Amino acid sequence: MSEFRYYRPNPFPPVVKNLIIINVLVFLAQLTFQNSKTVDLDNLFALHDVHSVFFKPHQLITHLFMHGGFDHIFFNMFALWMFGRELENSWGAKRFLIFYMACGLGAALLHLGVLYFEMEPVMKVFRSLPADQQALYLESPEFRVNTATLGASGAVFGCLAAFGYLFPNTMIYVYFLLPLKAKWFVLIYAGLELWLGIKNSAGDNVAHFAHLGGAVTGIILVLLWNKTDRRRFY
């Protein structure tokens, strides 16, 4: 007789738990140094346009652990726990960590690509200025290319997209009230992000294409992995 073993899902699997801890610690560091005149964590570790003097390659990763406020980190970490734990329990720690970081990187690359084309007209005007005027803009926070992007949203959107693909009929309660199947929730949310990204309204400081980049990367990875793993999820 074959032996049957039941493995109870871990409500806080190790990668999800440690990612949440790291994000919280970094957020506390941001609060500690937010008024510092000598240490600017945003300029050092948040993601900047490649035109900016503050851009550094390591920001493609480090921006994933920074957040712009309590509500920002709370909802990102809640979504990471809600969707990420299911993925980690299904895949294991190593595969989930690779997936999470790849989605964050994919989100950053798409965001930078879109930002590059958006900022090129601004940079053409900037390059036409005399050197002394250019110097006034180079490190100015008002200069659009110096605007920082931060947050785990891109990686979290990858988790959401994978969850919607692997567990399409699982019910998600939007605002804890409205029941909606995961597959429809993902499609509606992605469509909204695409529309808002194309609309590009003035005053909208959300990186919609970063969200889409994370989601697309997540779906691509799941499709590739599912070629050799034919298990079906609910």
Side-chain angles (χ1 to χ4, degrees), residues 210-227:
H211 297 170
L212 291 170
V216 170
T217 303
I219 287 295
I220 290 174
L221 284 174
V222 170
L223 290 174
L224 290 174
W225 290 344
N226 240 33
K227 284 185 176 181

Side-chain angles (χ1 to χ4, degrees), residues 143-159:
F143 192 28
R144 287 179 63 194
V145 297
N146 289 335
T147 301
T149 301
L150 65 171
S153 302
V156 170
F157 261 78
C159 295

Side-chain angles (χ1 to χ4, degrees), residues 51-83:
H51 294 111
S52 173
V53 296
F54 299 114
F55 172 75
K56 296 292 186 296
H58 67 257
Q59 295 170 357
L60 291 166
I61 299 299
T62 56
H63 82 283
L64 292 172
F65 301 96
M66 304 182 69
H67 289 86
F70 178 78
D71 56 338
H72 191 200
I73 188 172
F74 174 80
F75 286 109
N76 271 348
M77 294 304 99
F78 178 75
L80 171 59
W81 171 78
M82 183 176 178
F83 304 114

Side-chain angles (χ1 to χ4, degrees), residues 99-206:
F99 175 85
Y100 182 86
M101 299 306 294
C103 288
L105 184 59
L109 291 175
L110 181 59
H111 174 68
L112 288 180
V114 172
L115 201 59
Y116 182 88
F117 289 104
E118 286 183 348
M119 291 296 103
E120 259 306 293
V122 176
M123 292 307 297
K124 285 182 179 179
V125 175
F126 172 77
R127 295 185 192 108
S128 68
L129 297 174
D132 58 337
Q133 291 188 31
Q134 288 186 14
L136 295 176
Y137 286 101
L138 281 176
E139 298 187 9
S140 170
E142 284 76 28
F143 192 28
R144 287 179 63 194
V145 297
N146 289 335
T147 301
T149 301
L150 65 171
S153 302
V156 170
F157 261 78
C159 295
L160 172 60
F163 183 89
Y165 178 85
L166 296 173
F167 308 96
N169 296 314
T170 300
M171 300 302 293
I172 295 175
Y173 288 85
V174 183
Y175 295 113
F176 304 101
L177 294 174
L178 178 64
L180 193 64
K181 288 186 177 181
K183 57 187 176 184
W184 302 125
F185 179 77
V186 171
L187 289 173
I188 292 171
Y189 207 160
L192 179 63
E193 288 292 329
L194 179 61
W195 179 71
L196 291 173
I198 294 172
K199 185 180 179 182
N200 196 19
S201 301
D204 185 355
N205 60 355
V206 177

